[in-house]
Amino acid sequence: MSPGPSETNTAQELVHGFSSAQRIRALKYKQLEKGFQAVLHTHNDTDYKAVMAEVTVAFQVCSETINAAEAGLRSLDQHDLADMLRVIQTNEHEKLRLTLILQALRQSFAHGQFSWTCRPSADSIETNSGSGTPTHACQCCTAAEPTEAEYSAAKAEALQGLQTVVDNINDVLEEIKYAEADLDEQ
């Protein structure tokens, strides 16, 4: 049986490992956003799928590293630090969920997938034979969709949730930074 994290790592090393994984995670979020911006501009998601695959693997590695650090800290009776890492992991999970929700909303809006975002062309206007009034017949309006108010509310809710989660992460990261400095002094 191989030794567990607490047998081979000190609390200081475990917290440094966490900090490194968290920095990588932050860089991967930037890569994810850059890839998403390209999709919004090009309407081609082929490259973004590759970015998503790479970022998913990196996030998984970061998560495993942080989970191992948490377990190692618990085995060293550093429960306060381990609890902080758990709070980070929980909030990072929610951050990713909200980020992807926002991206889906933004992409749908940018690609004109809602009838209220479409600008009908002359070819997409048909005349209702019963009343003689024009009707909109573009392909974007075939499925159930949110109203503009529902879209705005969903986007605002996701943005507010994301800001709350980021604030929570930053608060705990600040606490971890001080704990890391204390460990470095020991």
Side-chain angles (χ1 to χ4, degrees):
M1 180 192 266
S2 62
S6 65
E7 297 173 60
T8 60
N9 296 102
T10 65
Q12 179 185 28
E13 291 167 331
L14 293 167
V15 173
H16 286 316
F18 158 79
S19 295
S20 177
Q22 195 64 18
R23 281 190 296 277
I24 291 168
R25 188 183 268 164
L27 291 172
K28 292 301 175 182
Y29 266 110
K30 288 178 183 176
Q31 181 182 1
L32 184 66
E33 181 59 24
K34 183 179 176 184
F36 179 69
Q37 288 299 322
V39 169
L40 291 181
H41 289 66
T42 66
H43 298 274
N44 180 349
D45 65 355
T46 303
D47 292 339
Y48 184 66
K49 288 177 183 178
V51 169
M52 281 291 291
E54 179 185 334
V55 167
T56 298
V57 169
F59 280 172
Q60 183 64 35
V61 170
C62 290
S63 186
E64 289 169 0
T65 299
I66 293 169
N67 288 340
E70 177 191 358
L73 289 167
R74 288 197 191 286
S75 69
L76 293 171
D77 290 326
Q78 295 283 334
H79 297 285
D80 288 345
L81 276 170
D83 290 346
M84 287 184 224
L85 270 55
R86 177 58 22 216
V87 169
I88 292 288
Q89 287 292 81
T90 301
N91 280 280
E92 285 288 355
H93 178 80
E94 183 67 0
K95 179 182 173 184
L96 180 59
R97 186 184 77 78
L98 291 168
T99 296
L100 295 176
I101 287 171
L102 276 168
Q103 286 186 353
L105 288 168
R106 290 168 54 204
Q107 184 175 9
S108 294
F109 179 83
H111 292 181
Q113 293 178 343
F114 304 129
S115 61
W116 43 268
T117 63
C118 287
R119 303 285 185 256
S121 66
D123 295 338
S124 70
I125 303 291
E126 297 176 354
T127 303
N128 183 327
S129 58
S131 66
T133 58
T135 60
H136 181 68
C138 72
Q139 296 301 313
C140 68
C141 311
T142 58
E145 63 178 47
T147 65
E148 189 170 359
E150 289 169 334
Y151 166 82
S152 294
K155 186 177 172 189
E157 182 180 335
L159 283 169
Q160 182 180 12
L162 185 60
Q163 186 59 55
T164 299
V165 167
V166 168
D167 289 345
N168 291 343
I169 291 168
N170 288 337
D171 288 347
V172 176
L173 286 175
E174 189 70 20
E175 290 180 48
I176 292 171
K177 183 174 123 182
Y178 290 124
E180 189 172 18
D182 289 345
L183 289 170
D184 288 345
E185 290 176 7
Q186 293 176 1

